[in-house]
């Protein structure tokens, strides 16, 4: 009986210790556990080590599209936030989860790639981890590939790039960053082609509308995904699977090598509002010598009036 009473007292003491913690302490504890979970998932699923001391998690109220506040969204931040030289590049997106990443269950393929059914995505290497793969892509985009692209590659003259010269050409033509027009990055993998104008019927295989770093220029793959097929995706899933088959440290990844290994061809979108088409063509011609088209594409988005409506078009 005495042992039972002692055990009960111990349990009550532990409960008291937790209940006596302030709400700030409890929140901090949940945030630290979620950061550990981010790190654990990446290591267990993808052989990828994230230096947890360079990141932190905050519990925040994220307002979704349905305007319902979720009080348990955990946002992954980096202490050393990338700062971009050019006004054309900025971050608005957040990486967040509502449940521990290690406990993500197999989701419908549409969570990762539209049109693919549950039983289809299950057959595609790497992508079949759905929610976990998607989270990895978001982390790669925001804290790996995008900072490399926007801070280093586009300025790397040894690779044929000079964005400072490109930006001076843009400013010469009066093209400025329009903060009212959201052209932020879209942190998902996609395959397809660049269309010359907006078309709802073919948008599903188009690689336009957003800055997109994790893109593969493959029309056949885009066609297949639109039709709910996945044979071409298997090729790229196998590449990702092979790339992460050996242990890697996220902060030490050679992002140029990563791009080439996985056939990644980023797209940089610059919005030029209602500039006349001839002006856009002139800008495209002027900047063409100042970047390596084999590594990425700079795409200009603009509108032209067609009868009673405006059509969004693209030039590169």
């Amino acid at each position: 009986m005495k042992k039972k009473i002692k055990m009960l007292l111990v349990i009550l003491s532990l409960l008291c210790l937790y209940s006596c913690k302030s709400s700030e302490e409890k929140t901090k504890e949940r945030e630290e556990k979620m950061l550990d979970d981010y790190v654990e998932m990446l290591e267990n699923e993808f052989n990828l080590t994230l230096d947890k001391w360079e990141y932190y998690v905050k519990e925040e109220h994220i307002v979704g599209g349905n305007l319902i506040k979720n009080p348990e969204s955990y946002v992954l931040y980096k202490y050393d936030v990338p700062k971009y030289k050019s006004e054309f590049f900025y971050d608005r997106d957040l990486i967040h989860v509502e449940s521990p990443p290690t406990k993500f269950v197999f989701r419908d393929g549409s969570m990762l790639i539209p049109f693919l059914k549950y039983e289809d995505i299950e057959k595609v290497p790497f992508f079949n981890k759905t929610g976990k793969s998607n989270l990895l892509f978001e982390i790669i985009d925001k804290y790996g590939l995008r900072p490399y692209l926007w801070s280093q590659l586009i300025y790397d003259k040894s690779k044929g790039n000079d964005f400072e010269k490109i930006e001076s050409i843009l400013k010469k033509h009066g093209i400025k960053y329009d903060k009212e027009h959201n052209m932020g990055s879209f942190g998902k993998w996609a395959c397809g082609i660049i269309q010359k104008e907006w078309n709802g019927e073919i948008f599903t295989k188009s690689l336009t509308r957003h800055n997109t770093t994790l893109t593969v220029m493959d029309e056949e793959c885009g066609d297949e995904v639109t039709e709910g097929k996945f044979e071409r995706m298997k090729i790229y899933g196998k590449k990702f699977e092979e790339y992460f088959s050996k242990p890697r440290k996220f902060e030490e990844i050679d992002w140029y090598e990563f791009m080439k290994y996985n056939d990644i061809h980023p797209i940089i979108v610059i919005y030029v509002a209602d500039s006349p088409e001839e002006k856009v063509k002139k800008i495209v011609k002027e900047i063409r010598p100042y970047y390596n088209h084999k590594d990425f594409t700079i795409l200009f988005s603009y509108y032209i009036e067609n009868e009673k409506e405006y059509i969004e078009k693209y030039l590169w």
Side-chain angles (χ1 to χ4, degrees):
M1 180 62 74
K2 289 183 178 180
K3 287 183 178 180
K4 289 183 179 180
I5 292 174
K6 286 182 179 180
M7 182 62 70
L8 181 61
L9 289 173
V10 170
I11 293 172
L12 290 173
S13 297
L14 291 172
L15 289 172
C16 180
L17 283 173
Y18 181 77
S19 62
C20 291
K21 289 182 179 179
S22 67
S23 60
E24 289 80 8
E25 288 175 319
K26 292 177 183 179
T27 299
K28 182 67 175 175
E29 190 174 279
R30 290 194 297 271
E31 291 170 344
E32 290 175 351
K33 285 182 178 179
M34 194 60 77
L35 176 59
D36 288 339
D37 207 85
Y38 270 104
V39 173
E40 182 183 345
M41 185 280 286
L42 292 172
E43 188 167 3
N44 291 345
E45 298 290 341
F46 304 107
N47 284 320
L48 186 62
T49 301
L50 195 72
D51 186 350
K52 64 176 291 185
W53 304 113
E54 293 193 20
Y55 303 85
Y56 63 97
V57 166
K58 294 294 290 182
E59 184 178 287
E60 297 182 8
H61 297 289
I62 305 297
V63 180
N66 57 6
L67 300 181
I68 296 177
K69 290 186 176 182
N70 187 334
E72 297 181 349
S73 288
Y74 297 90
V75 185
L76 181 67
Y77 290 102
K78 198 172 190 291
Y79 285 111
D80 184 17
V81 179
K83 294 180 179 179
Y84 304 119
K85 298 179 184 179
S86 173
E87 64 180 13
F88 288 96
F89 307 121
Y90 57 92
D91 278 333
R92 287 185 187 173
D93 54 318
L94 296 173
I95 296 175
H96 63 90
V97 298
E98 282 68 49
S99 62
T102 56
K103 294 180 172 58
F104 280 2
V105 296
F106 188 89
R107 299 183 182 183
D108 191 309
S110 63
M111 295 294 294
L112 186 64
I113 304 291
F115 308 107
L116 292 186
K117 298 178 181 178
Y118 179 98
E119 59 269 21
D120 292 336
I121 198 76
E122 191 175 22
K123 302 170 186 175
V124 184
F126 190 84
F127 293 98
N128 57 13
K129 295 183 180 181
T130 58
K132 294 176 181 179
S133 300
N134 194 43
L135 182 57
L136 172 60
F137 284 142
E138 289 183 32
I139 294 171
I140 287 174
D141 171 58
K142 186 173 178 67
Y143 294 128
L145 186 54
R146 196 194 320 173
Y148 168 68
L149 174 67
W150 289 356
S151 295
Q152 297 180 48
L153 182 58
I154 62 174
Y155 298 98
D156 190 342
K157 294 181 181 179
S158 70
K159 289 185 168 62
N161 305 311
D162 186 354
F163 196 80
E164 288 182 346
K165 180 63 177 178
I166 289 174
E167 191 163 15
S168 70
I169 292 171
L170 295 175
K171 289 181 177 180
K172 180 184 72 173
H173 287 283
I175 305 301
K176 299 179 180 179
Y177 158 59
D178 184 358
K179 60 184 178 182
E180 299 300 322
H181 193 85
N182 183 11
M183 298 299 282
S185 185
F186 182 65
K188 294 182 183 294
W189 182 91
C191 64
I193 58 173
I194 301 174
Q195 304 292 343
K196 291 186 177 180
E197 65 181 47
W198 169 259
N199 184 323
E201 294 180 1
I202 57 176
F203 171 64
T204 51
K205 64 178 180 181
S206 173
L207 300 179
T208 55
R209 301 284 288 182
H210 291 274
N211 286 301
T212 317
T213 58
L214 289 161
T215 44
V216 174
M217 306 293 282
D218 184 337
E219 184 173 8
E220 186 179 350
C221 178
D223 288 339
E224 284 190 356
V225 171
T226 302
E227 297 166 5
K229 300 177 182 178
F230 54 88
E231 289 305 315
R232 294 291 296 173
M233 273 188 67
K234 284 183 178 180
I235 296 173
Y236 302 110
K238 187 66 175 175
K239 284 178 177 286
F240 281 120
E241 195 171 66
E242 290 172 352
Y243 184 84
F244 289 106
S245 63
K246 63 179 182 180
R248 294 181 183 273
K249 292 183 179 180
F250 185 82
E251 291 73 25
E252 296 178 6
I253 288 178
D254 180 329
W255 292 109
Y256 190 76
E257 177 196 38
F258 172 86
M259 284 171 52
K260 297 305 177 183
Y261 191 96
N262 294 290
D263 296 321
I264 299 297
H265 184 94
I267 298 171
I268 295 173
V269 179
I270 296 177
Y271 181 63
V272 290
D274 55 353
S275 298
E277 190 166 54
E278 288 306 312
K279 178 180 178 179
V280 180
K281 287 180 178 179
K282 186 177 181 180
I283 295 172
V284 169
K285 184 178 180 180
E286 286 187 34
I287 72 164
R288 192 162 284 156
Y290 299 106
Y291 79 94
N292 188 339
H293 299 248
K294 293 181 179 179
D295 288 343
F296 58 92
T297 293
I298 297 179
L299 182 78
F300 289 87
S301 170
Y302 64 104
Y303 287 89
I304 63 168
E305 188 174 3
N306 183 13
E307 295 180 353
K308 295 182 179 180
E309 63 179 355
Y310 284 91
I311 298 176
E312 186 173 6
K313 300 194 72 173
Y314 312 101
L315 277 176
W316 63 97

